[in-house]
Amino acid sequence: MPAPASDARPTGPAAPRVLIITGDPIGTKMAGPAIRAFNMAEALSGVGTVTLASFGGIEAGYTAPFPLTLEHVRLGDQAHMRRLEQAADVIVFQGLAMALFEAIEKTSKIVVADIYDPMHLEQLEQAKRQGEDAWTRAVSDATHVLNQQLARGDFFLAASERQRHLFIGQLAALGRINPLNYKGNPDLSKLIATVPFGLSSEPPVHEKQVLKGVLPGIGADDKVLLWSGGLYNWFDPHTLIRAVAQVAERHPDVKLFFQGTKHPHPGVPEMEIVSTSRALAAELGVIDANVFFNASWVDYADRQNYLLEADAGVSTHYEHIETTFSFRTRILDYLWAGLPMVVTAGDHFAELVEREQLGAVVAAEDVDGLAAALEKVLYDAEFAATARANVARVAERFRWQTVLRPLVDFVADARHAPDLAAGGGLAAGRPGGASPVVSVHKRGLRHDLARVVHYVRNGGVRVVAQKVRARFGRG
Protein backbone atom coordinates (compact mmCIF):
# COMPACT_ATOMS: atom_id res chain seq x y z
CA MET A 1 0.00 0.00 0.00
CA PRO A 2 1.20 3.57 -0.66
CA ALA A 3 2.66 5.31 2.36
CA PRO A 4 2.49 9.07 1.80
CA ALA A 5 4.61 11.16 4.14
CA SER A 6 2.54 14.33 3.82
CA ASP A 7 0.55 16.38 1.32
CA ALA A 8 2.90 19.39 1.37
CA ARG A 9 4.28 18.90 -2.12
CA PRO A 10 4.59 21.04 -5.28
CA THR A 11 1.43 21.22 -7.33
CA GLY A 12 0.29 22.77 -10.59
CA PRO A 13 0.74 21.99 -14.26
CA ALA A 14 4.50 22.64 -14.17
CA ALA A 15 5.22 20.20 -11.33
CA PRO A 16 6.57 16.97 -12.86
CA ARG A 17 5.41 13.62 -11.52
CA VAL A 18 8.57 11.67 -10.78
CA LEU A 19 8.86 7.91 -10.31
CA ILE A 20 12.11 6.68 -8.72
CA ILE A 21 12.79 2.93 -8.75
CA THR A 22 15.28 0.94 -6.69
CA GLY A 23 15.70 -2.76 -6.09
CA ASP A 24 16.89 -2.31 -2.51
CA PRO A 25 14.66 -2.26 0.59
CA ILE A 26 13.61 1.13 1.96
CA GLY A 27 13.51 1.50 5.74
CA THR A 28 15.69 1.88 8.80
CA LYS A 29 18.36 -0.42 7.32
CA MET A 30 19.42 0.75 3.86
CA ALA A 31 22.38 -0.15 1.64
CA GLY A 32 23.95 2.15 -0.94
CA PRO A 33 21.38 1.91 -3.79
CA ALA A 34 18.47 2.60 -1.44
CA ILE A 35 20.31 5.48 0.26
CA ARG A 36 21.00 7.05 -3.12
CA ALA A 37 17.41 6.64 -4.34
CA PHE A 38 16.04 7.97 -1.04
CA ASN A 39 18.12 11.13 -1.23
CA MET A 40 17.17 11.64 -4.87
CA ALA A 41 13.54 11.46 -3.78
CA GLU A 42 14.12 14.10 -1.13
CA ALA A 43 15.89 16.45 -3.54
CA LEU A 44 13.26 16.02 -6.27
CA SER A 45 10.37 16.50 -3.84
CA GLY A 46 11.21 20.20 -4.03
CA VAL A 47 10.40 20.43 -7.76
CA GLY A 48 7.71 17.81 -8.27
CA THR A 49 5.57 15.06 -6.77
CA VAL A 50 7.67 11.99 -6.07
CA THR A 51 6.90 8.29 -5.79
CA LEU A 52 9.72 6.01 -4.62
CA ALA A 53 9.11 2.41 -5.67
CA SER A 54 11.15 -0.51 -4.38
CA PHE A 55 10.91 -4.09 -5.55
CA GLY A 56 13.10 -5.02 -2.58
CA GLY A 57 10.42 -4.03 -0.07
CA ILE A 58 9.25 -1.17 2.16
CA GLU A 59 9.65 -1.60 5.91
CA ALA A 60 6.26 -1.77 7.62
CA GLY A 61 5.29 1.56 9.14
CA TYR A 62 8.24 3.41 7.62
CA THR A 63 7.57 6.99 6.48
CA ALA A 64 9.84 9.63 5.00
CA PRO A 65 10.45 13.02 6.65
CA PHE A 66 9.55 14.81 3.40
CA PRO A 67 6.66 14.68 0.88
CA LEU A 68 6.85 11.23 -0.68
CA THR A 69 4.73 8.25 -1.68
CA LEU A 70 6.34 4.86 -1.05
CA GLU A 71 5.34 1.85 -3.14
CA HIS A 72 6.42 -1.77 -2.82
CA VAL A 73 6.19 -3.33 -6.28
CA ARG A 74 6.53 -7.08 -6.01
CA LEU A 75 8.68 -8.81 -8.57
CA GLY A 76 6.48 -10.08 -11.35
CA ASP A 77 3.71 -7.56 -10.65
CA GLN A 78 3.81 -5.99 -14.09
CA ALA A 79 0.37 -4.36 -13.65
CA HIS A 80 1.47 -2.44 -10.55
CA MET A 81 4.57 -1.07 -12.25
CA ARG A 82 2.51 -0.22 -15.34
CA ARG A 83 0.18 1.91 -13.23
CA LEU A 84 3.11 3.76 -11.69
CA GLU A 85 4.73 4.25 -15.10
CA GLN A 86 1.51 5.64 -16.57
CA ALA A 87 1.15 8.13 -13.73
CA ALA A 88 4.70 9.49 -14.13
CA ASP A 89 6.23 12.16 -16.32
CA VAL A 90 9.85 11.31 -15.48
CA ILE A 91 11.23 7.91 -14.46
CA VAL A 92 14.53 7.63 -12.58
CA PHE A 93 15.81 4.10 -12.05
CA GLN A 94 18.90 2.12 -11.13
CA GLY A 95 19.92 -1.50 -11.52
CA LEU A 96 17.54 -4.05 -13.01
CA ALA A 97 14.26 -2.12 -13.25
CA MET A 98 14.27 -1.87 -17.04
CA ALA A 99 15.18 -5.53 -17.46
CA LEU A 100 12.55 -6.79 -15.02
CA PHE A 101 9.55 -4.59 -15.80
CA GLU A 102 8.09 -4.37 -19.29
CA ALA A 103 6.45 -1.02 -18.55
CA ILE A 104 9.87 0.54 -17.94
CA GLU A 105 11.44 -1.18 -20.94
CA LYS A 106 8.70 0.10 -23.28
CA THR A 107 7.91 3.44 -21.67
CA SER A 108 7.59 6.57 -23.76
CA LYS A 109 8.13 8.75 -20.68
CA ILE A 110 11.32 10.69 -19.99
CA VAL A 111 13.91 8.27 -18.60
CA VAL A 112 16.86 8.98 -16.32
CA ALA A 113 19.18 5.98 -15.97
CA ASP A 114 21.33 6.06 -12.85
CA ILE A 115 24.34 4.05 -14.05
CA TYR A 116 26.59 4.80 -11.08
CA ASP A 117 27.41 1.07 -10.81
CA PRO A 118 29.50 -0.24 -13.76
CA MET A 119 28.01 -3.67 -13.24
CA HIS A 120 29.79 -5.30 -16.18
CA LEU A 121 33.19 -4.42 -14.70
CA GLU A 122 32.07 -5.44 -11.24
CA GLN A 123 31.06 -8.83 -12.62
CA LEU A 124 34.56 -9.44 -13.93
CA GLU A 125 35.53 -9.88 -10.29
CA GLN A 126 32.35 -11.19 -8.70
CA ALA A 127 31.65 -14.05 -11.13
CA LYS A 128 35.17 -15.26 -11.85
CA ARG A 129 34.88 -18.17 -9.41
CA GLN A 130 31.81 -19.59 -11.16
CA GLY A 131 33.62 -21.25 -14.05
CA GLU A 132 34.55 -19.95 -17.48
CA ASP A 133 31.14 -20.33 -19.16
CA ALA A 134 29.13 -18.80 -16.32
CA TRP A 135 31.66 -16.01 -15.92
CA THR A 136 31.49 -15.14 -19.63
CA ARG A 137 27.68 -15.17 -19.62
CA ALA A 138 27.52 -13.01 -16.50
CA VAL A 139 29.77 -10.31 -17.96
CA SER A 140 27.97 -10.49 -21.31
CA ASP A 141 24.54 -10.17 -19.73
CA ALA A 142 25.67 -7.29 -17.56
CA THR A 143 26.92 -5.50 -20.65
CA HIS A 144 23.61 -6.10 -22.47
CA VAL A 145 21.57 -4.79 -19.53
CA LEU A 146 23.63 -1.60 -19.45
CA ASN A 147 23.44 -1.24 -23.23
CA GLN A 148 19.65 -1.46 -23.07
CA GLN A 149 19.63 1.41 -20.59
CA LEU A 150 22.17 3.46 -22.57
CA ALA A 151 20.16 2.97 -25.76
CA ARG A 152 16.92 4.19 -24.20
CA GLY A 153 17.82 6.80 -21.58
CA ASP A 154 17.24 10.50 -22.04
CA PHE A 155 19.71 11.46 -19.30
CA PHE A 156 22.39 9.50 -17.47
CA LEU A 157 24.05 9.79 -14.07
CA ALA A 158 27.61 8.61 -13.44
CA ALA A 159 29.26 8.72 -10.03
CA SER A 160 32.62 10.20 -11.09
CA GLU A 161 34.38 11.78 -14.03
CA ARG A 162 36.17 8.46 -14.59
CA GLN A 163 32.81 6.72 -14.88
CA ARG A 164 31.45 9.47 -17.10
CA HIS A 165 34.29 8.97 -19.56
CA LEU A 166 33.76 5.22 -19.50
CA PHE A 167 30.07 5.56 -20.29
CA ILE A 168 30.61 8.22 -22.96
CA GLY A 169 32.68 5.61 -24.75
CA GLN A 170 29.93 3.03 -24.37
CA LEU A 171 27.32 5.54 -25.53
CA ALA A 172 29.47 6.32 -28.56
CA ALA A 173 29.64 2.62 -29.46
CA LEU A 174 25.83 2.52 -29.37
CA GLY A 175 25.49 5.53 -31.66
CA ARG A 176 24.22 7.89 -28.93
CA ILE A 177 27.08 10.36 -29.35
CA ASN A 178 25.67 11.79 -32.54
CA PRO A 179 25.06 15.21 -34.14
CA LEU A 180 21.57 15.52 -32.63
CA ASN A 181 22.83 15.08 -29.06
CA TYR A 182 26.02 17.08 -29.72
CA LYS A 183 24.34 20.11 -31.30
CA GLY A 184 24.11 22.85 -28.67
CA ASN A 185 25.66 20.49 -26.11
CA PRO A 186 29.31 19.96 -27.09
CA ASP A 187 30.38 18.85 -23.59
CA LEU A 188 27.45 16.35 -23.49
CA SER A 189 26.45 17.61 -20.03
CA LYS A 190 22.77 17.52 -21.04
CA LEU A 191 23.10 13.83 -21.88
CA ILE A 192 25.32 12.49 -19.07
CA ALA A 193 26.27 14.20 -15.81
CA THR A 194 28.54 13.39 -12.90
CA VAL A 195 26.40 12.83 -9.79
CA PRO A 196 28.43 11.25 -6.98
CA PHE A 197 27.03 9.77 -3.83
CA GLY A 198 26.44 12.56 -1.36
CA LEU A 199 26.36 13.18 2.34
CA SER A 200 23.88 14.86 4.63
CA SER A 201 24.12 18.58 5.35
CA GLU A 202 23.20 17.75 8.95
CA PRO A 203 26.34 16.91 10.95
CA PRO A 204 26.40 13.52 12.66
CA VAL A 205 25.47 13.49 16.34
CA HIS A 206 26.69 10.87 18.79
CA GLU A 207 23.57 9.61 20.57
CA LYS A 208 24.77 6.46 22.31
CA GLN A 209 27.88 4.40 22.89
CA VAL A 210 28.05 1.41 20.51
CA LEU A 211 31.70 0.33 20.35
CA LYS A 212 34.15 1.81 22.80
CA GLY A 213 33.60 0.46 26.28
CA VAL A 214 30.46 -1.35 25.09
CA LEU A 215 31.44 -4.07 22.63
CA PRO A 216 33.35 -6.81 24.47
CA GLY A 217 37.02 -6.54 23.55
CA ILE A 218 36.99 -2.84 22.66
CA GLY A 219 38.02 -0.55 25.50
CA ALA A 220 36.95 3.04 26.04
CA ASP A 221 40.41 4.36 25.06
CA ASP A 222 41.22 1.95 22.25
CA LYS A 223 42.04 3.08 18.71
CA VAL A 224 39.22 2.00 16.38
CA LEU A 225 39.50 1.49 12.63
CA LEU A 226 36.07 1.33 10.99
CA TRP A 227 35.19 -0.56 7.82
CA SER A 228 31.89 1.13 6.98
CA GLY A 229 29.41 -0.64 4.71
CA GLY A 230 29.45 -4.24 3.56
CA LEU A 231 32.10 -6.84 2.78
CA TYR A 232 32.03 -7.94 -0.86
CA ASN A 233 34.23 -10.29 -2.86
CA TRP A 234 35.92 -7.52 -4.85
CA PHE A 235 37.36 -5.94 -1.66
CA ASP A 236 40.59 -7.00 0.05
CA PRO A 237 39.98 -7.26 3.81
CA HIS A 238 42.66 -9.97 4.08
CA THR A 239 45.57 -7.55 3.61
CA LEU A 240 43.92 -5.21 6.12
CA ILE A 241 43.50 -7.97 8.72
CA ARG A 242 47.15 -8.99 8.32
CA ALA A 243 48.24 -5.35 8.70
CA VAL A 244 46.13 -4.89 11.84
CA ALA A 245 47.63 -8.05 13.30
CA GLN A 246 51.07 -6.60 12.64
CA VAL A 247 50.22 -3.25 14.26
CA ALA A 248 48.67 -5.04 17.23
CA GLU A 249 52.06 -6.53 18.10
CA ARG A 250 53.25 -3.00 18.88
CA HIS A 251 49.92 -1.42 19.81
CA PRO A 252 47.51 -3.91 21.44
CA ASP A 253 44.87 -1.19 21.64
CA VAL A 254 44.29 -1.15 17.85
CA LYS A 255 40.83 -2.48 16.92
CA LEU A 256 39.26 -3.06 13.51
CA PHE A 257 35.46 -3.26 13.24
CA PHE A 258 33.68 -4.48 10.10
CA GLN A 259 30.33 -2.72 10.24
CA GLY A 260 28.26 -4.80 7.80
CA THR A 261 28.46 -8.53 7.03
CA LYS A 262 24.81 -9.45 6.40
CA HIS A 263 23.16 -7.39 3.66
CA PRO A 264 19.87 -5.71 4.70
CA HIS A 265 18.10 -7.41 1.78
CA PRO A 266 17.08 -10.92 2.95
CA GLY A 267 17.65 -12.35 -0.53
CA VAL A 268 21.35 -11.49 -0.62
CA PRO A 269 23.48 -14.27 0.89
CA GLU A 270 26.65 -13.75 2.85
CA MET A 271 29.58 -13.50 0.47
CA GLU A 272 32.54 -15.84 0.58
CA ILE A 273 34.90 -13.03 1.59
CA VAL A 274 33.13 -12.74 4.97
CA SER A 275 33.84 -16.32 5.99
CA THR A 276 37.40 -16.29 4.69
CA SER A 277 38.08 -13.04 6.55
CA ARG A 278 36.77 -14.48 9.78
CA ALA A 279 38.91 -17.57 9.26
CA LEU A 280 42.03 -15.47 8.63
CA ALA A 281 41.44 -13.36 11.74
CA ALA A 282 41.05 -16.54 13.76
CA GLU A 283 44.20 -18.03 12.25
CA LEU A 284 46.18 -14.92 13.18
CA GLY A 285 44.75 -14.92 16.70
CA VAL A 286 43.16 -11.48 16.43
CA ILE A 287 39.46 -12.28 16.05
CA ASP A 288 37.41 -10.68 18.85
CA ALA A 289 40.66 -9.30 20.22
CA ASN A 290 41.76 -6.83 17.54
CA VAL A 291 39.40 -7.66 14.66
CA PHE A 292 35.61 -7.66 15.09
CA PHE A 293 32.77 -8.52 12.71
CA ASN A 294 29.29 -7.12 13.16
CA ALA A 295 26.81 -9.99 12.94
CA SER A 296 24.30 -7.98 10.89
CA TRP A 297 23.98 -4.51 9.33
CA VAL A 298 23.96 -1.20 11.15
CA ASP A 299 20.72 0.78 10.91
CA TYR A 300 21.06 3.74 8.54
CA ALA A 301 20.05 6.19 11.30
CA ASP A 302 22.45 4.55 13.76
CA ARG A 303 25.61 4.53 11.64
CA GLN A 304 26.69 7.94 12.95
CA ASN A 305 27.33 6.47 16.39
CA TYR A 306 29.83 3.99 14.95
CA LEU A 307 31.47 6.62 12.77
CA LEU A 308 31.91 9.10 15.62
CA GLU A 309 33.54 6.49 17.85
CA ALA A 310 36.06 5.55 15.16
CA ASP A 311 39.53 7.08 14.95
CA ALA A 312 39.93 6.39 11.22
CA GLY A 313 38.07 4.88 8.27
CA VAL A 314 39.55 2.17 6.06
CA SER A 315 38.88 0.75 2.57
CA THR A 316 41.13 -1.78 0.85
CA HIS A 317 40.77 -3.50 -2.50
CA TYR A 318 42.70 -5.28 -5.22
CA GLU A 319 44.18 -3.72 -8.33
CA HIS A 320 41.85 -4.44 -11.25
CA ILE A 321 39.52 -2.68 -13.68
CA GLU A 322 36.56 -2.69 -11.26
CA THR A 323 38.68 -0.63 -8.88
CA THR A 324 39.57 1.88 -11.59
CA PHE A 325 35.93 2.85 -12.21
CA SER A 326 34.47 2.19 -8.77
CA PHE A 327 33.00 4.77 -6.40
CA ARG A 328 33.40 3.57 -2.81
CA THR A 329 30.35 5.00 -1.09
CA ARG A 330 31.71 4.20 2.38
CA ILE A 331 34.21 7.04 1.89
CA LEU A 332 31.31 9.48 1.98
CA ASP A 333 30.48 8.38 5.52
CA TYR A 334 34.10 8.99 6.50
CA LEU A 335 33.89 12.48 5.05
CA TRP A 336 30.58 13.11 6.83
CA ALA A 337 32.04 12.08 10.18
CA GLY A 338 35.32 13.93 9.69
CA LEU A 339 37.43 10.77 9.79
CA PRO A 340 40.98 10.55 8.45
CA MET A 341 41.24 7.50 6.24
CA VAL A 342 43.56 4.85 4.90
CA VAL A 343 42.72 3.54 1.42
CA THR A 344 44.21 1.44 -1.35
CA ALA A 345 45.50 3.25 -4.44
CA GLY A 346 43.82 2.97 -7.82
CA ASP A 347 40.29 4.37 -7.54
CA HIS A 348 38.65 7.79 -7.68
CA PHE A 349 38.72 8.35 -3.94
CA ALA A 350 42.35 7.30 -3.55
CA GLU A 351 43.25 10.19 -5.86
CA LEU A 352 41.13 12.52 -3.73
CA VAL A 353 42.65 11.30 -0.45
CA GLU A 354 46.16 11.77 -1.79
CA ARG A 355 45.55 15.12 -3.49
CA GLU A 356 43.70 16.69 -0.55
CA GLN A 357 45.76 14.97 2.18
CA LEU A 358 42.78 13.29 3.82
CA GLY A 359 44.85 10.42 5.21
CA ALA A 360 47.12 7.81 3.66
CA VAL A 361 47.10 5.92 0.36
CA VAL A 362 48.92 2.59 0.01
CA ALA A 363 49.62 0.15 -2.80
CA ALA A 364 47.36 -2.87 -3.21
CA GLU A 365 48.25 -5.96 -1.16
CA ASP A 366 51.15 -4.21 0.63
CA VAL A 367 50.83 -5.48 4.21
CA ASP A 368 53.88 -3.65 5.56
CA GLY A 369 52.96 -0.37 3.85
CA LEU A 370 49.38 -0.63 5.09
CA ALA A 371 50.51 -1.35 8.66
CA ALA A 372 52.77 1.72 8.58
CA ALA A 373 49.92 3.88 7.23
CA LEU A 374 47.49 2.64 9.90
CA GLU A 375 50.04 3.37 12.60
CA LYS A 376 50.61 6.88 11.27
CA VAL A 377 46.94 7.78 11.07
CA LEU A 378 46.16 6.37 14.52
CA TYR A 379 49.23 7.38 16.53
CA ASP A 380 50.66 10.49 14.84
CA ALA A 381 48.44 13.15 16.41
CA GLU A 382 49.69 15.99 14.19
CA PHE A 383 49.14 14.00 10.99
CA ALA A 384 45.65 12.95 12.08
CA ALA A 385 44.67 16.52 13.03
CA THR A 386 45.76 17.85 9.63
CA ALA A 387 43.84 15.10 7.86
CA ARG A 388 40.69 15.83 9.87
CA ALA A 389 40.85 19.53 8.99
CA ASN A 390 41.22 18.68 5.31
CA VAL A 391 38.34 16.19 5.47
CA ALA A 392 36.04 18.87 6.92
CA ARG A 393 36.93 21.20 4.05
CA VAL A 394 36.46 18.64 1.27
CA ALA A 395 33.20 17.29 2.70
CA GLU A 396 31.37 20.45 1.69
CA ARG A 397 31.71 19.49 -1.98
CA PHE A 398 29.75 16.28 -1.44
CA ARG A 399 26.56 17.47 0.23
CA TRP A 400 23.51 15.82 -1.34
CA GLN A 401 21.97 19.16 -2.30
CA THR A 402 25.17 19.98 -4.20
CA VAL A 403 25.86 16.70 -5.97
CA LEU A 404 22.22 16.16 -7.01
CA ARG A 405 21.92 19.59 -8.64
CA PRO A 406 22.34 18.22 -12.23
CA LEU A 407 19.46 15.77 -11.64
CA VAL A 408 17.22 18.40 -10.05
CA ASP A 409 17.91 20.83 -12.90
CA PHE A 410 17.13 18.19 -15.51
CA VAL A 411 13.86 17.10 -13.91
CA ALA A 412 12.73 20.70 -13.45
CA ASP A 413 12.97 21.11 -17.24
CA ALA A 414 12.77 17.49 -18.38
CA ARG A 415 12.90 16.61 -22.06
CA HIS A 416 13.67 13.65 -24.26
CA ALA A 417 17.16 13.31 -25.67
CA PRO A 418 17.17 14.92 -29.13
CA ASP A 419 18.08 11.72 -30.99
CA LEU A 420 15.29 9.72 -29.34
CA ALA A 421 12.74 12.45 -29.95
CA ALA A 422 13.75 12.68 -33.62
CA GLY A 423 13.89 8.93 -34.16
CA GLY A 424 10.17 8.37 -33.78
CA GLY A 425 10.54 5.35 -31.55
CA LEU A 426 9.05 7.04 -28.50
CA ALA A 427 5.76 7.93 -30.13
CA ALA A 428 5.54 4.54 -31.81
CA GLY A 429 6.06 2.75 -28.52
CA ARG A 430 8.81 0.59 -29.99
CA PRO A 431 10.49 -1.51 -27.27
CA GLY A 432 13.30 0.49 -25.79
CA GLY A 433 12.18 3.58 -27.69
CA ALA A 434 15.57 3.69 -29.38
CA SER A 435 16.31 5.80 -32.42
CA PRO A 436 17.25 4.09 -35.68
CA VAL A 437 20.96 4.80 -35.08
CA VAL A 438 20.95 2.57 -32.00
CA SER A 439 21.32 -1.18 -32.24
CA VAL A 440 21.44 -3.30 -29.07
CA HIS A 441 22.28 -7.00 -29.19
CA LYS A 442 19.89 -8.68 -26.75
CA ARG A 443 20.92 -12.30 -26.99
CA GLY A 444 22.45 -12.36 -23.52
CA LEU A 445 19.55 -10.50 -21.96
CA ARG A 446 16.83 -12.70 -23.45
CA HIS A 447 18.75 -15.95 -23.50
CA ASP A 448 19.83 -16.14 -19.86
CA LEU A 449 19.05 -12.99 -17.86
CA ALA A 450 19.03 -15.06 -14.69
CA ARG A 451 22.80 -14.54 -14.68
CA VAL A 452 22.19 -10.84 -14.10
CA VAL A 453 21.47 -11.48 -10.44
CA HIS A 454 25.06 -12.43 -9.79
CA TYR A 455 26.40 -8.95 -10.50
CA VAL A 456 23.74 -6.60 -9.20
CA ARG A 457 22.96 -6.56 -5.50
CA ASN A 458 19.67 -4.72 -6.16
CA GLY A 459 16.69 -6.93 -5.54
CA GLY A 460 18.46 -9.85 -3.94
CA VAL A 461 20.16 -12.75 -5.61
CA ARG A 462 17.74 -15.59 -4.85
CA VAL A 463 14.52 -13.62 -5.23
CA VAL A 464 15.45 -11.89 -8.47
CA ALA A 465 16.82 -15.09 -9.99
CA GLN A 466 13.50 -16.86 -9.59
CA LYS A 467 11.49 -14.01 -11.10
CA VAL A 468 13.86 -13.40 -13.98
CA ARG A 469 13.73 -17.07 -14.94
CA ALA A 470 9.94 -16.92 -14.88
CA ARG A 471 9.83 -13.91 -17.17
CA PHE A 472 12.53 -14.80 -19.67
CA GLY A 473 12.38 -18.59 -19.58
CA ARG A 474 10.23 -18.52 -22.72
CA GLY A 475 13.42 -17.79 -24.72
Side-chain angles (χ1 to χ4, degrees):
M1 293 293 292
S6 81
D7 294 325
R9 58 183 66 197
T11 58
R17 299 167 298 174
V18 183
L19 171 63
I20 301 175
I21 309 170
T22 180
D24 259 24
I26 300 294
T28 54
K29 296 180 188 290
M30 291 192 286
I35 293 168
R36 184 168 170 90
F38 187 83
N39 281 280
M40 286 180 176
E42 182 172 18
L44 293 175
S45 68
V47 297
T49 60
V50 179
T51 296
L52 175 56
S54 168
F55 52 90
I58 306 290
E59 182 180 323
Y62 183 79
T63 58
F66 56 89
L68 177 67
T69 296
L70 293 169
E71 295 269 0
H72 176 201
V73 181
R74 298 185 183 279
L75 283 165
D77 193 345
Q78 300 291 343
H80 189 175
M81 185 62 80
R82 190 176 306 113
R83 290 193 298 271
L84 295 179
E85 181 271 336
Q86 291 172 349
D89 300 308
V90 180
I91 299 169
V92 183
F93 77 91
Q94 56 187 211
L96 291 174
M98 182 170 280
L100 292 173
F101 294 98
E102 189 175 53
I104 307 305
E105 178 188 0
K106 295 185 176 181
T107 186
S108 62
K109 305 300 178 65
I110 296 169
V111 171
V112 179
D114 185 13
I115 50 174
Y116 77 97
D117 179 11
M119 57 181 77
H120 47 351
L121 304 184
E122 183 178 281
Q123 186 63 5
L124 287 167
E125 276 300 307
Q126 188 171 345
K128 67 182 181 182
R129 298 173 181 85
Q130 298 173 12
E132 196 74 27
D133 290 344
W135 188 17
T136 298
R137 284 194 298 270
V139 175
S140 176
D141 286 339
T143 304
H144 294 320
V145 168
L146 272 171
N147 281 345
Q148 181 191 34
Q149 298 174 14
L150 292 167
R152 173 56 186 88
D154 295 290
F155 190 54
F156 303 97
L157 309 178
S160 68
E161 277 300 299
R162 283 189 183 192
Q163 281 191 15
R164 184 172 183 268
H165 295 160
L166 169 71
F167 286 121
I168 284 176
Q170 201 161 338
L171 284 163
L174 293 171
R176 297 300 308 276
I177 308 302
N178 52 53
L180 288 171
N181 287 336
Y182 183 83
K183 184 179 180 182
N185 183 31
D187 63 355
L188 301 176
S189 60
K190 295 178 182 177
L191 181 66
I192 180 168
T194 299
V195 176
F197 254 77
L199 52 92
S200 173
S201 58
E202 295 294 324
V205 176
H206 190 260
E207 298 169 329
K208 63 180 180 180
Q209 208 71 17
V210 292
L211 290 175
K212 291 186 174 182
V214 174
L215 188 70
I218 300 182
D221 298 319
D222 285 348
K223 297 289 188 179
V224 173
L225 297 163
L226 183 68
W227 179 287
S228 180
L231 265 178
Y232 305 115
N233 289 342
W234 47 91
F235 290 126
D236 177 22
H238 293 173
T239 298
L240 177 59
I241 291 168
R242 293 184 187 279
V244 168
Q246 188 180 119
V247 173
E249 294 176 1
R250 298 182 291 275
H251 301 278
D253 63 340
V254 65
K255 313 290 179 175
L256 167 62
F257 182 75
F258 289 99
Q259 184 174 291
T261 57
K262 181 175 174 53
H263 197 279
H265 196 294
V268 180
E270 179 179 285
M271 290 200 174
E272 178 188 5
I273 195 67
V274 177
S275 59
T276 59
S277 296
R278 285 197 182 102
L280 176 61
E283 176 189 332
L284 297 174
V286 293
I287 194 165
D288 296 332
N290 301 97
V291 177
F292 302 81
F293 296 86
N294 186 17
S296 182
W297 192 276
V298 170
D299 284 1
Y300 182 57
D302 198 30
R303 75 196 194 286
Q304 59 196 34
N305 295 311
Y306 292 82
L307 289 161
L308 292 175
E309 289 181 36
D311 295 281
V314 290
S315 181
T316 51
H317 48 251
Y318 296 104
E319 187 175 359
H320 45 55
I321 195 67
E322 187 276 338
T323 291
T324 302
F325 293 101
S326 67
F327 190 90
R328 309 299 187 201
T329 57
R330 70 199 60 229
I331 304 296
L332 273 301
D333 271 348
Y334 301 155
L335 289 173
W336 184 50
L339 287 177
M341 57 200 82
V342 179
V343 301
T344 306
D347 67 0
H348 165 80
F349 271 119
E351 286 187 348
L352 183 71
V353 170
E354 189 167 40
R355 183 175 66 249
E356 302 290 349
Q357 300 180 51
L358 309 180
V361 178
V362 298
E365 300 183 76
D366 181 358
V367 175
D368 293 341
L370 182 55
L374 295 174
E375 203 162 3
K376 188 174 186 64
V377 167
L378 290 177
Y379 298 100
D380 185 333
E382 184 178 351
F383 180 85
T386 298
R388 285 183 179 274
N390 291 334
V391 167
R393 171 178 52 80
V394 171
E396 294 303 315
R397 306 177 196 170
F398 288 91
R399 304 296 180 191
W400 278 116
Q401 65 267 32
T402 300
V403 300
L404 287 173
R405 177 50 55 187
L407 174 63
V408 173
D409 288 347
F410 176 84
V411 171
D413 187 27
R415 72 286 178 277
H416 286 297
D419 62 336
L420 298 190
L426 296 168
R430 187 166 66 245
S435 67
V437 300
V438 178
S439 175
V440 183
H441 177 48
K442 291 188 177 182
R443 182 210 59 79
L445 177 64
R446 292 292 186 185
H447 178 68
D448 196 6
L449 188 57
R451 306 291 178 179
V452 169
V453 301
H454 295 297
Y455 56 78
V456 180
R457 296 185 296 279
N458 294 15
V461 174
R462 298 187 182 107
V463 177
V464 175
Q466 183 181 18
K467 298 300 182 179
V468 173
R469 288 190 188 99
R471 179 183 169 195
F472 291 98
R474 299 185 299 273

